[in-house]
Amino acid sequence: MARRTIGQAERRFAALVLLPAALLLLVFRIVPLLWGFALSFTNANGLGSADWVGLANYQAVVADEAFQDALVNTVLVLSTLPVWIMLPMLLALLIHQGVPGGRIFRAVYFLPAVLSSVIVGSIFNVVLRFDGSLNAALKAVGLHPVDWLGNGWTALLSLVTVYLWSTFGMSVLIFMAGLSTINQEMLEAAKLDGARFWARLRFIVIPTLRPIIEFVAVVTTIGLLTGMFGLIYVLTAGGPGTATTLPEFLIWLEQGKLNRPGYAAAISAVLFVLMAGVAWAQVRIMSRNADL
Amino acid sequence: MAAAGKRERRSLWIAAIPMALLALSCVYPIYFAVNNALKTSKGYILDRFGLVTDPTVQNFADAWGRARFSEYFVNSVLVTAGAVGLLLLLSSLVGFALAMLRFPGRRFVFVAILAALMIPIQVVLVPFYRTVEGLGLLNTRVGLVLAYTAFFLPFSIYLMTAFYRGLPRELLEAARMDGARFLEVWWHVMLPLGRPALLTLGILNTLYCWNDVLISLLVLQDRRTLMVGIAALRGSTRPTCRSSPPGSCWRRRPSSSSTSSSRGASSAASPWAP
């Protein structure tokens, strides 16, 4: 009897604590998600009237050139994923191996990660402009200046590079944390047996870091799919043309400029499906790491 | 063997060169911004890249006063403080419950919260805006606090749950034996023990809330937080903008410009009202 009341108190407290959190998530995330899904089948135009139009929005989305461009841009951006993992890992490894000045590097690399994407965008707006400091530096060493933000290819490249610049410090930090869990004795023993840097990397470091690599890969992918809004907004506004328009920015444009919530909701649904695979991987990795 | 060690040492010295250049690139934009912020309009036109020769704090005064940054600053501080406080409170309570307490559906709740983590704001942009509007929370700081809490809560709960998971359940049982209620256990045991995780979360969430543009752009259209204010000043480095009368460069609510039809045009820096 006493045991039972203890269990009841436990449950009551848990329910009481979970309620506000669940309510917030329900109101601001779950309901909007379902609502948006419903909206994507209507011709809602923001004026109140909305009729069921079936899959018309989705057909329009697929046929929309801006959306096709955004999709191609997404694929291009995602294809840079290996760089996002290997560069921070390499930097973390070098710091771990005792590169001269390593402690300073670790601190300084984190600096851009603290800055808002708006600040980063504003600064690089001036740096990358045709008469900006990067071109001034290029001219100083006798190279031709490039209109970094004015050409399609270089604009996308600039956008991705700036985003990489502003987030790699965080990944370096995560890798450093992972490296500190490596068995130092095993590493020393391998060194004594004559294993070179690359051999130690392949047979000891990378296997140990596997969960961290997975984690960084998933977090980075989600960042690439949904974290670049602020930077696009300030640095390129999706242009020139649609060269730097990603789905997340397109949704915002459709909704805000052209006032087509039904259409925007359809793009949202497509983006959600794109993300579902990544999301599933992340849920698996995270619930495994939390050991619940 | 010693030779191998020596060679590796040399490789590390060589690797330090590109790493130092990268570090320099991390510092340069900050130098660039501060250096130019101290220049007068004339000084900026004459020499964009050189070191400031005629330092002035007039730009800061202009931003603070004329560009209404004092107001934006207060908004940012209040909203960030409110959201981070609420996030820490809720996530430590829920993390404690999920990690330590036994109740049916615990695993389901945890996975559901992780799943909620996967719904990015972009995917729910339109209905999210309508929800906020429907609740009468549009253009209120409370609305933005609740929105931030809802969007950053799943990650915070995940982190706190994982952290409390590493603590022995005996802590809870011992405190219960001594007659402590669950809320007391949380306050006297879990909160102090959770300090390292709460500190990390506090820093991360402060960064997220302070630096956010998109959610703030939606919820706080009239009043603006600092980052939205800065985003609206895009191109402010042009001196003409500095010397023009207030209001011409910084329109408070350029809803009329939302009718501009060109996709990806530079006028994207205007909040929109669906």
Side-chain angles (χ1 to χ4, degrees):
Chain A
M1 187 61 211
R3 275 193 74 92
R4 195 190 194 107
T5 48
I6 288 169
Q8 260 174 7
E10 198 163 336
R11 279 180 215 174
R12 203 169 48 226
F13 180 78
L16 213 66
V17 161
L18 283 170
L19 199 67
L23 209 65
L24 268 175
L25 293 181
L26 203 68
V27 169
F28 286 104
R29 297 186 94 155
I30 313 286
V31 168
L33 182 70
L34 299 175
W35 189 358
F37 195 60
L39 210 59
S40 70
F41 295 104
T42 69
N43 62 356
N45 54 12
L47 297 175
S49 65
D51 292 316
W52 187 264
V53 293
L55 289 172
N57 282 326
Y58 288 91
Q59 282 165 348
V61 166
V62 173
D64 187 351
E65 272 177 30
F67 177 75
Q68 290 167 5
D69 291 348
L71 222 51
V72 171
N73 291 339
T74 307
V75 172
L76 288 175
V77 167
L78 285 180
S79 69
T80 61
L81 188 64
V83 181
W84 295 75
I85 297 165
M86 286 194 291
L87 180 76
M89 191 166 84
L90 186 68
L91 292 171
L93 268 171
L94 287 167
I95 294 172
H96 186 71
Q97 291 288 311
V99 79
R103 295 179 69 155
I104 301 169
F105 292 152
R106 188 171 58 172
V108 169
Y109 288 166
F110 195 63
L111 221 55
V114 182
L115 295 178
S116 157
S117 53
V118 169
I119 310 276
V120 171
S122 305
I123 292 172
F124 274 94
N125 226 343
V126 185
V127 171
L128 293 174
R129 258 159 45 175
F130 191 68
D131 54 353
S133 33
L134 183 58
N135 277 340
L138 284 181
K139 264 190 256 178
V141 295
L143 291 168
H144 278 291
V146 178
D147 191 4
W148 295 103
L149 299 174
N151 296 318
W153 274 99
T154 53
L156 190 62
L157 187 70
S158 303
L159 180 73
V160 173
T161 310
V162 171
Y163 188 60
L164 176 64
W165 176 85
S166 71
T167 53
F168 81 97
M170 186 65 96
S171 304
V172 170
L173 220 62
I174 295 172
F175 275 119
M176 291 294 301
L179 283 170
S180 65
T181 65
I182 285 183
N183 189 335
Q184 284 297 328
E185 283 167 25
M186 206 200 312
L187 218 53
E188 283 304 314
K191 218 172 183 173
L192 284 176
D193 285 346
R196 292 271 162 80
F197 178 78
W198 294 110
R200 299 199 305 264
L201 183 68
R202 193 175 150 205
F203 293 110
I204 301 175
V205 176
I206 289 184
T208 319
L209 283 186
R210 234 192 66 154
I212 308 275
I213 294 172
E214 285 173 353
F215 182 76
V216 171
V218 168
V219 169
T220 304
T221 309
I222 290 182
L224 288 172
L225 285 173
T226 63
M228 288 168 75
F229 177 83
L231 206 53
I232 299 176
Y233 184 82
V234 178
L235 195 61
T236 64
T242 53
T244 54
T245 301
L246 293 179
E248 53 169 328
F249 194 74
L250 191 61
I251 295 168
W252 187 82
L253 278 181
E254 287 294 342
Q255 169 60 29
K257 289 258 172 59
L258 309 171
N259 208 12
R260 290 196 289 177
Y263 190 73
I267 305 177
S268 304
V270 175
L271 179 62
F272 183 69
V273 171
L274 278 180
M275 284 203 55
V278 192
W280 186 72
Q282 183 167 21
V283 170
R284 275 191 43 162
I285 291 170
M286 289 177 100
S287 62
R288 193 179 62 209
N289 290 349
D291 184 32
L292 204 79
Chain B
M1 190 195 78
K6 210 170 184 178
R7 195 158 68 203
E8 269 174 24
R9 191 98 44 81
R10 202 167 53 215
S11 316
L12 281 177
W13 273 101
I14 294 168
I17 296 166
M19 285 179 81
L21 286 176
L22 187 61
L24 211 61
S25 89
C26 293
V27 181
Y28 173 75
I30 295 158
Y31 151 79
F32 183 79
V34 173
N35 187 36
N36 278 341
L38 290 170
K39 287 178 186 170
T40 58
S41 296
K42 201 174 131 212
Y44 179 74
I45 298 170
L46 289 177
D47 184 7
R48 193 109 58 84
F49 310 117
L51 200 64
V52 58
T53 51
D54 49 349
T56 170
V57 291
Q58 189 56 41
N59 296 321
F60 291 95
D62 281 352
W64 190 254
R66 257 202 278 167
R68 293 172 173 276
F69 271 39
S70 54
E71 199 184 308
Y72 304 158
F73 182 78
V74 171
N75 284 340
S76 274
V77 169
L78 287 178
V79 167
T80 303
V84 172
L86 201 57
L87 278 164
L88 293 185
L89 177 76
L90 284 177
S91 63
S92 71
L93 274 169
V94 174
F96 164 49
L98 285 175
M100 293 265 175
L101 303 183
R102 296 199 180 113
F103 56 92
R106 190 173 57 124
R107 216 192 118 75
F108 170 77
V109 171
F110 185 68
V111 173
I113 286 170
L114 279 188
L117 183 61
M118 309 311 154
I119 309 172
I121 172 85
Q122 287 85 354
V123 163
V124 295
L125 210 56
V126 183
F128 168 77
Y129 176 82
R130 298 273 178 90
T131 306
V132 173
E133 195 182 29
L135 292 170
L137 292 173
L138 207 61
N139 287 320
T140 63
R141 288 186 284 241
V142 174
L144 193 53
V145 167
L146 291 178
Y148 280 156
T149 308
F151 274 93
F152 303 134
L153 190 58
F155 177 72
S156 305
I157 290 177
Y158 164 74
L159 209 78
M160 286 317 293
T161 307
F163 182 84
Y164 282 140
R165 202 74 197 144
L167 300 178
R169 197 181 134 88
E170 282 74 34
L171 281 172
L172 167 71
E173 276 155 8
R176 289 288 292 167
M177 290 288 246
D178 290 342
R181 284 175 297 153
F182 283 106
L183 199 63
E184 288 169 340
V185 178
W186 171 72
W187 179 255
H188 291 295
V189 182
M190 292 303 154
L191 220 46
L193 283 175
R195 208 181 293 156
L198 286 170
L199 194 70
T200 308
L201 263 187
I203 294 170
L204 280 179
N205 281 325
T206 303
L207 277 181
Y208 293 155
C209 295
W210 184 264
N211 288 344
D212 165 73
V213 192
L214 185 52
I215 302 176
S216 164
L217 203 58
L218 288 177
V219 179
L220 221 55
Q221 298 188 344
D222 279 358
R223 309 167 76 168
R224 284 186 182 169
T225 52
L226 209 48
M227 289 309 146
V228 174
I230 294 171
L233 276 180
R234 218 164 61 108
S236 67
T237 36
R238 262 167 286 164
T240 49
C241 207
R242 284 207 189 119
S243 48
S244 59
S248 62
C249 287
W250 309 293
R251 262 175 298 175
R252 284 210 75 197
R253 196 182 183 185
S255 50
S256 60
S257 71
S258 66
T259 51
S260 91
S261 55
S262 62
R263 264 205 269 231
S266 58
S267 61
S270 63
W272 45 270

